[in-house]
Structures are given as structure tokens and as C-alpha cells.
Amino acid sequence: MSFLPPPLLALVRLAQLMRPHQWLKNGFVFAGLVFSQAWQDGPLIGRVLHAFAAFCCVSSTVYIVNDWHDRASDALHPGKKRRPLASGAVPVPVALVLAGLLLAGGLLLAAGNRTLLALLAAYVVFNLAYSWRLKQVPVVDVSIIASGFMLRLLAGTVAVGIPPSRWLLLTGIFVALFLGFSKRKAETFHEEASQRAVLEHYPSALLDTFMAVTMTATLTNYSLFATSPEAQLQHGERLLYTVPVVIFGMLRYTYQVHRGRGEDVARDLLSDPWILAAGVLWMAIFLGHRL
């Protein structure tokens, strides 16, 4: 990117610092809207979009603060050394100002919604605790990662007035834990010198067990949801046909993790054409009778 004019290059570096590709994780905010089928409720859709935008701002704030905190260790990592702060491409004062502006933007988007503000505050507190200390504590570290997904899910349900289904919550918890343990498994493929300290407490066999347990729990809960009377009443038979697609997607993702992929969930989900195809097929089946 050195061929870009300096002002444009600076903007690109700031965008990289915000990690917009990670906003894919904030898609959990839309889960309640998708399953509630409230497509014609304009004000509700507006509230969900506000919650999504607020989480994008606040999550980017957390990423910047985390990069600032870890910039010295990131500079020694073979992949992370190219991050804007670790490489020195973005000055620390500029990064912190951007973090402050994003945090203010997120709070402004959530203004007037106390539940959403509380969820955003919990997200910030949990992630700062993770960055400063809890990422060194086995199982607790992955639980914090999973809590981020669950807070997004609650932001798109409770915070905007959609009653969350017990099946949605249970499936969300287990898939979030699965993604967290998959991330740790993928990190074991790095050279030992550049691995996280917490991986000393995660033998490979243990991570395989955790992944298997959480994937089984996810698929069991989703299958029970798809065949439950309430789902059949609300969504019809089509939801049942999505179960094989979900199974395929999770198996494919597990395959990628065992190839050393999956450390960056958003990037690796977007880079695998088969996982993308499974996502498109799921949407086509689920929304097919409305198109």
C-alpha cells in the first residue's frame, strides 16, 4: 500500500486499526430479528440497526485498546507485528483519540436505551479484564470470548424488545464456546515461542475434547429447536431442512481449525467458500418461502 498518497494511506491504517472485518461477529445482534420474523416492523429494525452500529463502535474501541496494551508483545509475533500499533504505522496518541471517538459514538447510538447501555458496558468491562488479566486463566479466557457473543445476542433481543427464545440462547452459548475453543486450537499451530502463555494449560487433546463437547451441544440444541413444536408453528418445516446445512458448516469449520485456520473467526469464515456457501444455503432455505 506504499503507492497510496500519505493521507489515504493514513486512513487505511486507521481502518485496519478498527478491524472492520471483525464486525461480522456483531451479526449475532440480528439473530433475534431473523428468528422473530418481524420484517415489517420498521421501528424495531431501526433499533436493531442502532444496536449493531453501537457494538461495531464499541468493539472497535476494545480492539484498539487491546492492541495498545499488547503492542510490545505483538511486535514479536510473526503475524501480529504487522498491526498498525505494533508496527508503528499509527502513533499511539492518534489511536487512543480514535478509540475515544468510537466509544463516544457507540454510547451516543445507545443513548436512551438503558439495557443496551448496560450490555455495552458489560462488554467493555469483560474485554478489558480479558486483555489485562483473564486471558491468562484457562477456560475463563474462552468464557469471556463467549460472553461477547452472548451480549451481542442479548442486545438484539432483550435490548430492542424481542423476547429471546430459550433455544436461541442455549444454541448461542454453545456455538460461542465452540468458536472460542476453536480459536485456541488454531493458535496451537503457531511456533511455540510465539504462542499465548495460556496455551501451556491447554493440551491438544483437551482442546479437541472441548471442541467436540461444545459442537455436539450446539448441534443437539439446534436440532431440538428445529424440531420443536414452537419452531414448527412459527417457521414451518423449512427450519428442519437447515439442520444438515448447520452440521456441514460446523464440520467444515472444524476441518479448517485442524489445518491451523480459525484463529481469526471473522476472516476464516469469510475466506472459506464452502462455509460461505453453507451460510447462503441456510438463508435460502430459511427465507425461501418469503421470497
Side-chain angles (χ1 to χ4, degrees), residues 231-265:
Q232 293 292 303
L233 180 63
Q234 185 174 15
H235 304 290
E237 290 290 330
R238 289 182 179 269
L239 193 61
L240 178 62
Y241 304 142
T242 65
V243 173
V245 180
V246 173
I247 293 173
F248 169 80
M250 295 198 73
L251 291 177
R252 176 71 185 182
Y253 192 74
T254 303
Y255 161 74
Q256 290 288 20
V257 169
H258 280 80
R259 294 177 61 225
R261 309 288 296 277
E263 181 180 355
D264 188 324
V265 175

Side-chain angles (χ1 to χ4, degrees), residues 139-263:
V139 180
V140 174
D141 62 328
V142 172
S143 298
I144 294 293
I145 294 172
S147 73
F149 288 101
M150 291 309 300
L151 290 170
R152 293 172 172 97
L153 186 59
L154 291 172
T157 53
V158 176
V160 298
I162 300 174
S165 161
R166 64 184 184 277
W167 295 112
L168 181 61
L169 292 177
L170 283 172
T171 303
I173 289 170
F174 288 122
V175 75
L177 288 169
F178 168 75
L179 292 173
F181 286 121
S182 295
K183 176 179 172 66
R184 287 293 179 263
K185 177 68 177 181
E187 290 169 346
T188 64
F189 287 83
H190 292 308
E191 293 183 6
E192 188 172 348
S194 62
Q195 289 182 3
R196 293 177 184 270
V198 74
L199 290 178
E200 295 180 12
H201 306 286
Y202 280 125
S204 182
L206 180 62
L207 286 171
D208 288 339
T209 300
F210 286 163
M211 286 180 62
V213 168
T214 52
M215 181 169 67
T216 300
T218 299
L219 295 176
T220 299
N221 276 278
Y222 185 79
S223 299
L224 289 171
F225 165 56
T227 57
S228 66
E230 62 183 271
Q232 293 292 303
L233 180 63
Q234 185 174 15
H235 304 290
E237 290 290 330
R238 289 182 179 269
L239 193 61
L240 178 62
Y241 304 142
T242 65
V243 173
V245 180
V246 173
I247 293 173
F248 169 80
M250 295 198 73
L251 291 177
R252 176 71 185 182
Y253 192 74
T254 303
Y255 161 74
Q256 290 288 20
V257 169
H258 280 80
R259 294 177 61 225
R261 309 288 296 277
E263 181 180 355

Side-chain angles (χ1 to χ4, degrees), residues 91-108:
V92 169
V94 173
L96 294 180
V97 168
L98 177 60
L101 291 173
L102 287 168
L103 179 60
L107 295 178
L108 184 61

